[in-house]
Amino acid sequence: MSLYVCSLISNAEQVIPADGQYHLLRFPYGEDESYDAWNMHPAEQPDGLVSIHPDVRSALIWPAVKGWGELKATIHWAAGGGYTEVRSQLIRDPLGLAAGPDTTCTEDHHANVGGQFRSKSWGIFVNPVTSLGVRVRHNGTSAATVTHAQFKLVVNDDVAVPPTPGGL
């Protein structure tokens, strides 16, 4: 069994508009990454386009192999922004570059006093031709700020396949 790991972090403020829409969290390339030995967060994307942080493609993780993926995210919202609820979701193909967006693990949280510090974990099958992202929204009347974000993928490429009926 092999594990392929990509672990991204951003400590830059990301302003999330008060437009009711989901927005992808973006992550820097290179030295600012915490771990990307398998080049799953490449500036030169698999389709040949080059991304420059903080463009929308800097939000993407491209799995190195097919397998069972464990996705994890941490999102820190600053206090204020007039919101009473924050939402997050994990998404396959968020930019519609393959089969089209496919969301999973959508969560909403009512705001508590101070900042909102949320973490999530979810498992899905992943494929190198389908990028992954984490996106957020809020219900405020003015922009809100994400002050810290992490996005991680661990892929196990050794998923067992059951024998065929009547087979050995």
Side-chain angles (χ1 to χ4, degrees):
M1 170 176 67
S2 296
L3 295 179
Y4 299 80
V5 177
C6 181
S7 178
L8 307 178
I9 189 169
S10 173
N11 288 309
E13 290 188 351
Q14 298 187 52
V15 176
I16 310 301
D19 59 7
Q21 303 297 310
Y22 280 95
H23 296 272
L24 286 165
L25 295 177
R26 293 133 193 241
F27 298 89
Y29 295 106
E31 294 176 16
D32 292 332
E33 293 180 289
S34 52
Y35 186 81
D36 189 23
W38 295 100
N39 200 32
M40 291 190 263
H41 184 62
E44 185 172 340
Q45 307 265 302
D47 61 3
L49 293 178
V50 176
S51 170
I52 299 172
H53 181 261
D55 70 11
V56 71
R57 283 176 166 252
S58 67
L60 306 178
I61 289 179
W62 297 84
V65 295
K66 283 184 179 181
W68 182 249
E70 292 290 333
L71 294 164
K72 300 182 186 311
T74 297
I75 304 153
H76 293 187
W77 293 85
Y83 59 78
T84 59
E85 176 188 79
V86 294
R87 290 188 177 197
S88 63
Q89 62 185 197
L90 301 169
I91 182 169
R92 287 185 185 104
D93 195 21
L95 302 181
L97 304 173
D102 177 20
T103 61
T104 188
C105 195
T106 300
E107 296 178 300
D108 62 336
H109 298 277
H110 285 281
N112 53 6
V113 177
Q116 312 308 302
F117 307 111
R118 307 293 183 208
S119 294
K120 61 196 308 116
S121 179
W122 198 249
I124 60 173
F125 284 101
V126 298
N127 187 313
V129 299
T130 306
S131 62
L132 304 166
V134 59
R135 61 188 195 172
V136 297
R137 62 169 277 197
H138 63 89
N139 69 347
T141 57
S142 60
T145 303
V146 171
T147 59
H148 174 82
Q150 294 184 37
F151 184 34
K152 301 166 186 309
L153 170 65
V154 177
V155 183
N156 178 341
D157 71 342
D158 190 24
V159 178
V161 179
T164 58
L168 298 174

